[in-house]
């Protein structure tokens, strides 16, 4: 069953996540895929990654910050932000930082402990795609984006706060 | 007070539907305990020792008579006929059943009330001076800013999973009634360089295990920057606050470990980015919110009418009450009345459904249909005509609400403690009661004068024991309930944290310990000197000596 969704539909996943990657030899083990690699790996093995046949993206853990990505940020087609547990709220700020401070235009994906009841807030902070935890019902999750019709804040999804729209 | 428009109503309706669905999924076993936990907490629902506890938000402590009647209905229908005022100006119910909570929230929504973010690791209800708008020493009414903060913080998508709970207080008066300096963020209305009013903002204050006074982050920002400044602080905290240890997760620890200068630098870096964004407040929005807090329709009256003078002379009980419970109002001919809910034998802050209805009637009759909850767990009727005080008092008396111990030793702040709270080390309500029984003579209480006793059942400090002139903290000593006493705390402008006097005491020793402490004060005080001032002058030692003196 598909576990990747956008705000309005099920998505096919063209990416493979390398959750742990210690050395470049792993690249030979997964030839020809499009890989989401850890930030550290990406920085450390940039040379080796140049020779890799598929597309390359990165993922950040919740204790890493957007500014660590550096100048090559805009080359990345996708950045995934991890939720080690759903109650760890740091990736919300990271998504927002990527959009607001760095004007990142690529896809931002939520990975890890991604559950139905947090999806609405994620979507407002700049996430585009949601790699749901295996036990989640993706049809049910699609309804989450309609939990609220609007919100008070200035967000990535709705940059003009309610007080300027009333 | 603030009234909801179509947007506010829609969001509240969406929230009720969302929680109804979440509760159903939980009861159907589709949502685990751990996953349901923050969802229910952010809707005010705790699962407690004896039954669930539901905390309802009362923004900046204000309630209309319509809302009071609804609360009376809820106390009667879902609870056992009681409600409880908290020290953060909210209301708690102790007995609702989980499956009834969505319906209860729907009932509340009818009167523009909710339980949103009254618990959990998110931005909580913003509090302020209970006398905002009527206090004589006020720079500007703080309530419109509280409302602006309420809206910004409600369902803030980025800050729903903070490292820990987060509390904001706003203060617009010279005398701080809101304990602003011991909040995660404290906002002061201040006059700026060009005499226009703006904000001074502190961060990193807090009670609990490691009590700290907040440090200045912004010495002055213009009004339009209120939300951008708050958002910048919250973003730094959300990203960098500690998540590895629950006891080190409050912003006070982050500010301390980072160092205030470095922390400020980070905040300013965030702030630069957003200060001129769409989040900057508009003049229209400030005015729109202020409009809801315009003064009610005051009559042209004069101060101290003859009737009042006569009544005070003829009825000494009334005069006693007047002296303790009535304060000056900024409008001539009006007074601020505090109804003290510290009757001996009743848990501090407890109120019955019948009393809630009576309060609603009194608010309709005497105070423009509104009441406020005070930080000391009492009720304020903020706009009473002086020539109607006597009539009001008689009605309060008939309803057993005319306690005249306001501000006196028996007007204690007390958390629910071991009788209700699962986190407690010790009971707190029976301690309050035993002290009230020891000091049951009104003349003696008047002689002792202003002193506050704050009682918490554990380190979480819901009873604000650190800032009590006398603080009492329940501790666990090898499985027994013991109490640690501290002296010299204050939540006023010169906020200070109490010092622990020494080894803790057993429950039955407490009334005598308090008696001894008061005795030391009485024999050392200079004329008209309050307890706290005597303490500050003579220090902890004399108290310590007396309290731990060997009994011969
Ligand atoms: S101070 Fe402790 S015992 Fe008292 S209400 Fe708070 S958590 Fe419960």
């Amino acid at each position: 069953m598909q576990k990747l969704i956008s705000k309005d539909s099920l998505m096919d996943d063209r990416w493979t996540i390398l959750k742990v990657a210690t050395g470049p030899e792993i690249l030979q083990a997964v030839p020809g895929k499009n890989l989401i690699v850890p930030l550290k790996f990406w920085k450390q093995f940039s040379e080796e990654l140049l020779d890799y046949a598929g597309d390359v993206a990165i993922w950040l853990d919740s204790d890493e910050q957007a500014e660590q990505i550096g100048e090559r940020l805009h080359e990345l087609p996708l950045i995934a932000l991890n939720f080690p547990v759903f109650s760890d709220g740091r990736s919300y700020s990271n998504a927002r930082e990527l959009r607001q401070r760095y004007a990142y235009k690529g896809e931002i994906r939520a990975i890890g402990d991604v559950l139905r009841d947090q999806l609405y807030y994620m979507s407002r902070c700049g996430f585009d795609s949601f790699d749901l935890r295996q036990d989640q019902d993706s049809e049910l999750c699609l309804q989450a984006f309609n939990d609220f019709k609007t919100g008070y804040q200035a967000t990535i999804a709705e940059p003009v706060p309610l007080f300027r729209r009333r | 007070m603030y009234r909801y428009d179509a947007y506010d109503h829609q969001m509240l309706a969406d929230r009720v539907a969302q929680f109804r669905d979440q509760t159903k999924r939980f009861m159907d076993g589709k949502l685990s305990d751990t996953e349901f936990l923050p969802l229910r907490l952010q809707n005010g629902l705790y699962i407690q020792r004896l039954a669930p506890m539901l905390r309802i938000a009362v923004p900046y402590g204000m309630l209309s008579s319509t809302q009071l009647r609804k609360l009376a209905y809820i106390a009667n229908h879902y609870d056992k006929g009681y409600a409880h005022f908290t020290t953060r100006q909210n209301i708690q119910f102790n007995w609702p059943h989980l499956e009834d909570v969505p319906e209860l929230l729907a009932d509340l929504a009818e009167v523009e009330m909710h339980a949103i973010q009254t618990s959990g690791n998110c931005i909580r209800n913003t509090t302020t001076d209970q006398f905002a708008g009527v206090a004589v020493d006020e720079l500007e009414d703080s309530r419109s800013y509280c409302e602006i903060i309420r809206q910004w913080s409600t369902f803030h998508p980025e800050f729903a999973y903070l490292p820990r709970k987060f509390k904001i207080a706003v203060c617009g008066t010279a005398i701080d009634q809101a304990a602003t300096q011991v909040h995660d963020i404290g906002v002061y209305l201040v006059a700026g360089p060009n005499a226009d009013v703006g904000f001074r903002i502190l961060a990193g204050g807090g009670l609990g295990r490691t009590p700290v006074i907040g440090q200045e982050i912004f010495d002055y920002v213009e009004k339009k920057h209120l939300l951008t400044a708050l958002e910048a602080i919250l973003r730094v905290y959300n990203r960098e606050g500690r998540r590895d240890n629950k006891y080190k997760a409050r912003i006070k620890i982050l500010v301390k470990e980072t160092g205030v200068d470095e922390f400020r630098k980070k905040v300013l870096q965030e702030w630069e980015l957003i200060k001129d964004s769409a989040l900057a407040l508009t003049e229209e929005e400030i005015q729109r919110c202020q409009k809801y807090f315009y003064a009610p329709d005051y009559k042209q009256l004069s101060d101290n009418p003859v009737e009042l003078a006569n009544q005070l002379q003829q009825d000494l009980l009334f005069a006693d009450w007047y002296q303790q419970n009535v304060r000056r109002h900024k409008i001539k001919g009006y007074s601020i009345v505090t109804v003290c809910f510290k009757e001996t034998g009743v848990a501090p802050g407890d109120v019955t459904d019948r009393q809630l209805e009576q309060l609603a009637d009194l608010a309709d009759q005497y105070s423009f249909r509104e009441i406020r909850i005070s930080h000391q767990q009492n009720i304020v009727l903020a706009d009473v005509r002086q020539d109607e005080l006597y009539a009001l008092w008689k009605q309060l008396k008939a309803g057993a609400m005319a306690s005249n111990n306001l501000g006196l030793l028996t007007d204690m702040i007390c958390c629910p403690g071991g009788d209700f709270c699962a986190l407690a080390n010790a009971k707190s309500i029976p301690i309050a009661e035993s002290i009230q029984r020891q000091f049951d003579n009104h003349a003696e209480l008047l002689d002792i004068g202003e002193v506050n006793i704050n009682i918490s059942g554990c380190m979480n400090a819901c009873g604000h024991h650190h800032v009590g002139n006398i603080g009492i903290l329940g501790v666990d000593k090898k499985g027994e309930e013991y109490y640690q006493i501290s002296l010299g705390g204050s939540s006023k402008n010169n906020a200070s944290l109490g010092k622990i006097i020494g080894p803790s005491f057993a429950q039955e020793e407490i009334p005598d310990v308090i008696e001894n402490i008061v005795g030391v004060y009485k024999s050392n005080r200079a004329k008209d000197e309050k307890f706290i001032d005597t303490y500050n002058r003579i220090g902890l030692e004399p108290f310590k000596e007396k309290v731990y003196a060997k009994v011969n």
Side-chain angles (χ1 to χ4, degrees), chain A residues 62 65-67 86-90 92-94 96-97 100-101 113 115-118 120-122 124-125 133 135-136 140 147-155 159-166, chain B residues 2 5 7-8 10-11 14-15 18 21-22 25 31 34-35 38-39 150-152 154-161 227 231 235 238-240 243 269-270 273-274 277-282 285 288:
Chain A
S62 63
Q65 300 197 352
E67 63 182 315
F86 75 95
S87 54
D88 179 341
R90 287 176 284 194
Y92 294 93
S93 284
N94 266 346
R96 179 147 180 163
E97 200 74 351
Q100 201 167 35
R101 179 177 295 278
D113 205 21
L115 314 180
R116 189 237 177 265
D117 291 292
Q118 286 72 44
Y120 176 77
Y121 284 169
M122 288 180 191
R124 294 184 68 79
C125 290
R133 196 176 70 187
D135 64 345
Q136 299 291 295
L140 207 73
D147 276 1
F148 291 90
K149 299 202 178 41
T150 189
Y152 291 109
Q153 298 75 17
T155 60
V160 180
L162 181 60
F163 66 77
R164 287 178 187 267
R165 291 185 272 126
R166 279 189 137 121
Chain B
Y2 186 73
D5 70 2
Y7 286 107
D8 302 298
Q10 181 66 55
M11 266 182 262
D14 289 345
R15 177 60 152 203
Q18 183 193 40
D21 174 56
Q22 288 164 344
R25 280 187 279 130
L31 206 51
T34 338
E35 288 162 20
L39 307 177
R150 182 192 75 80
Q151 297 192 12
W152 163 80
T154 300
F155 312 137
H156 198 303
E158 190 180 341
F159 306 134
Y161 296 94
L227 297 184
E231 184 140 321
R235 185 159 304 138
N238 188 40
R239 293 170 70 190
E240 302 191 11
R243 289 172 188 264
Q269 198 190 343
E270 282 305 322
L273 184 71
I274 55 174
S277 70
L279 187 59
L281 282 168
T282 57
E285 172 65 359
R288 184 184 80 91

Side-chain angles (χ1 to χ4, degrees), chain B residues 48 415-418 421-426 428 455-463:
Chain B
Q48 285 286 22
C415 81
C421 174
L423 303 172
N425 284 327
S428 51
I455 311 173
S456 306
C458 79
M459 274 297 189
N460 286 317
C462 303

